[in-house]
Amino acid sequence: MTSADHLHPNGTASGRSGETVPPLRKDAERNRERILAAARQAYAEAGLEVSMAEVARRAGVGIATLFRRFPTREDLIDAVFADRMDAYLAAVTTALADPDPWDGFTGYIEAICAMQAADRGVADLLTMTFPTAKALEAKRARAYDALMQLVDRAKAAGRLRPDFTSQDVVILLMANAGVVSATGQAAPDAWRRLVGYMLQAFAVHEPAGLPAAPTPTALYRAMLHLGRAGRADA
């Protein structure tokens, strides 16, 4: 600092022009928000396999800055998806409030599969576990407990097949994540067909009708997309 500069009592610096330089903590907070925004977009587009280096590049910060704010990948995922896990938990809470146990169950399945379709990061998040991301995993545990209540209600109502287990939800989410990834923008509603089939399989009495199948052209475009993605990874 030159003789023409001086410190204000609040710790900010004032230069020759009289401009006040914001304290470092504001710069750090801005960097944090830029990192979170970049990670959120990257994960939504490409899933959770996006590297920390790529997040730093998108955020316009150095990798050291990123690791100062988020020492591990799990720390970053925890921060990025805090609101998504709130929505995941809210979906099962809403389902439990439905007076019809089967409508509550099917509404929940459709809601979380729609979350996967809207965000590749969520598609991955719901089929992975992150033991060191304590806040995220705590919400996941609460959602699981509520899901089991939902399953028990639907079984007691005689609508959900008695051999259904919580593992079947995980299998469905894994399958749905694969469909969402494969079809992309070419057939963006293809996942609804899969979910419709699975809900019929879960039911004691099959509900009538299924969502419309993707058109042959849409599926062909999706297959072309997968082929190009495979060549790019080679």
Side-chain angles (χ1 to χ4, degrees):
M1 182 177 298
T2 67
S3 59
D5 297 328
H6 63 278
L7 284 175
H8 289 295
N10 65 3
T12 62
S14 176
R16 291 183 181 85
S17 64
E19 294 179 352
T20 299
V21 179
L24 180 60
R25 61 180 177 272
K26 291 186 179 179
D27 290 337
E29 181 58 28
R30 279 197 295 270
N31 282 339
R32 182 179 187 278
E33 292 305 316
R34 289 167 64 185
I35 291 167
L36 289 176
R40 190 171 290 114
Q41 181 179 17
Y43 291 152
E45 293 172 357
L48 299 186
E49 295 306 313
V50 174
S51 69
M52 296 287 272
E54 172 62 12
V55 172
R57 185 192 69 77
R58 289 183 179 226
V61 302
I63 191 69
T65 298
L66 187 152
F67 278 112
R68 274 197 301 273
R69 302 304 304 174
F70 303 100
T72 70
R73 173 172 169 265
E74 286 74 17
D75 291 328
L76 180 58
I77 289 171
D78 201 353
V80 167
F81 289 102
D83 58 339
R84 306 301 200 278
M85 289 305 289
D86 287 339
Y88 179 54
L89 182 57
V92 70
T93 302
T94 298
L96 281 172
D98 194 310
D100 185 308
W102 180 248
D103 286 347
F105 175 79
T106 58
Y108 168 71
I109 295 296
E110 290 167 352
I112 61 175
C113 287
M115 289 173 62
Q116 284 187 303
D119 189 320
R120 281 282 305 278
V122 173
D124 289 346
L125 181 73
L126 297 185
T127 57
M128 297 179 180
T129 185
F130 305 93
T132 62
K134 301 300 184 183
L136 186 151
E137 292 301 329
K139 290 176 183 177
R140 191 197 302 274
R142 288 168 58 197
Y144 175 82
D145 290 342
L147 167 62
M148 294 315 299
Q149 295 178 50
L150 194 64
V151 167
D152 290 343
R153 288 177 70 230
K155 286 182 178 180
R159 299 298 307 279
L160 181 62
R161 54 189 299 162
D163 57 352
F164 181 89
T165 72
S166 62
Q167 294 95 305
D168 292 319
V169 176
V170 178
I171 292 169
L172 170 59
L173 291 176
M174 287 179 171
N176 192 51
V179 170
V180 168
S181 176
T183 56
Q185 293 303 310
D189 290 327
W191 67 272
R192 297 183 186 277
R193 183 86 172 178
L194 169 69
V195 172
Y197 270 124
M198 295 308 297
L199 288 176
Q200 287 196 4
F202 297 157
V204 171
H205 303 293
E206 292 184 358
L210 281 172
T215 65
T217 300
L219 279 183
Y220 178 72
R221 288 173 180 164
M223 293 166 71
L224 284 177
H225 171 75
L226 276 181
R228 293 190 187 109
R231 289 194 295 274
D233 291 339

